[in-house]
Amino acid sequence: MAEYLASIFGTEKDKVNCSFYFKIGACRHGDRCSRLHNKPTFSQTIVLLNLYRNPQNTAQTADGSHCHVSDVEVQEHYDNFFEEVFTELQEKYGEIEEMNVCDNLGDHLVGNVYVKFRREEDAERAVTELNNRWFNGQAVHAELSPVTDFRESCCRQYEMGECTRGGFCNFMHLRPISRNLRRQLYGRGPRRRSPPRSHTGHRPRERNRRRSPDHRHGRF
């Protein structure tokens, strides 16, 4: 019996523990979920809840109507945000293997930033310190996440451009960074990568991309 319960833990067959929370570290039902959300006491991964704000979803004019933000501006804004968060967290807390940002619209996933550190100790220290910080005018809410394999958390249909649920899909829609930034953050550094999907990097000495004056970010 114990072996069977262990084999179905965190799956849809598990009637006690929430499979969505186990896979993506979030659940649309929140505290009202009928199944348990087993929050980890240790993990390599932390989540910064609702930290990223897509300007296409938030940009408004003075009369409250939405103003147009081009796809190019959005990507530039996102790359600047990603680089700033990645480099600062790595410099302060330790080597980052992987960082992902949700582009979903559901309240439990929108703007979530998942950071997988190489060491569990670094993740624990980051959570402790970041919960006393502010970023871009908003309080940071950080917690340890059960997610360690993002391949199990992602929406495969979204990656193929076929998701019919749109931004309200319950699996992660991870927004990609530009190729140049990926090479800068993950393609440098003498440290050896840990298989299968670990990444290392150093903060670039020069920042060549132009920052939009309308899309400023804050530091932790």
Side-chain angles (χ1 to χ4, degrees):
M1 185 64 177
E3 291 182 1
Y4 173 73
L5 292 176
S7 68
I8 66 170
F9 180 82
T11 69
E12 294 181 1
K13 294 181 180 180
D14 190 340
K15 303 302 181 183
V16 177
N17 303 288
C18 177
S19 62
F20 271 104
Y21 183 80
F22 182 74
K23 287 182 180 179
I24 65 176
C27 170
R28 65 188 177 92
H29 299 294
D31 295 335
R32 301 186 303 276
C33 184
S34 60
R35 301 183 185 184
L36 295 178
H37 292 177
N38 291 299
K39 296 189 176 183
T41 56
F42 56 88
S43 176
Q44 290 176 261
T45 306
I46 70 171
V47 57
L48 309 176
L49 300 173
N50 311 127
L51 189 70
Y52 173 65
R53 296 179 178 178
N54 188 326
Q56 284 184 328
N57 300 332
T58 59
Q60 292 183 335
T61 59
D63 61 2
S65 60
H66 284 274
C67 60
H68 176 71
V69 182
S70 70
D71 291 341
V72 173
E73 290 175 311
V74 170
Q75 188 63 49
E76 181 182 5
H77 174 275
Y78 176 64
D79 281 352
N80 288 333
F81 167 87
F82 193 102
E83 181 181 4
E84 184 166 0
V85 173
F86 184 102
T87 53
E88 187 161 351
L89 292 183
Q90 182 158 259
E91 286 180 352
K92 286 185 176 180
Y93 303 114
E95 182 180 347
I96 292 174
E97 290 191 351
E98 190 171 359
M99 179 169 133
N100 292 294
V101 180
C102 287
D103 206 24
N104 303 65
L105 294 176
D107 291 341
H108 61 301
L109 286 175
V110 60
N112 285 359
V113 178
Y114 292 83
V115 184
K116 183 180 179 182
F117 288 92
R118 184 170 179 269
R119 292 163 22 106
E120 292 175 350
E121 297 88 344
D122 296 338
E124 182 178 9
R125 185 164 64 92
V127 167
T128 300
E129 295 187 11
L130 288 172
N131 275 316
N132 297 317
R133 304 292 179 86
W134 289 70
F135 182 86
N136 196 27
Q138 64 184 99
V140 176
H141 298 287
E143 60 185 46
L144 294 175
S145 172
V147 179
T148 55
D149 187 350
F150 289 92
R151 291 170 296 185
E152 294 296 320
S153 310
C154 295
C155 174
R156 292 177 176 83
Q157 287 76 20
Y158 172 76
E159 293 177 345
M160 296 184 292
E162 299 174 356
C163 181
T164 59
R165 300 181 181 88
F168 292 96
C169 178
N170 283 320
F171 285 95
M172 292 183 187
H173 288 189
L174 299 181
R175 186 175 185 89
I177 55 177
S178 65
R179 291 182 180 180
N180 288 339
L181 180 58
R182 179 164 294 278
R183 283 195 294 267
Q184 287 181 7
L185 297 181
Y186 293 126
R188 296 183 179 181
R191 290 173 295 190
R192 185 175 57 188
R193 295 183 180 183
S194 302
R197 298 183 64 193
S198 72
H199 307 287
T200 63
H202 292 290
R203 185 171 190 154
R205 297 296 182 184
E206 297 181 359
R207 304 168 74 94
N208 296 322
R209 295 188 313 281
R210 176 181 58 85
R211 288 185 178 274
S212 169
D214 297 325
H215 299 146
R216 298 186 178 92
H217 298 298
R219 296 177 66 84
F220 289 109

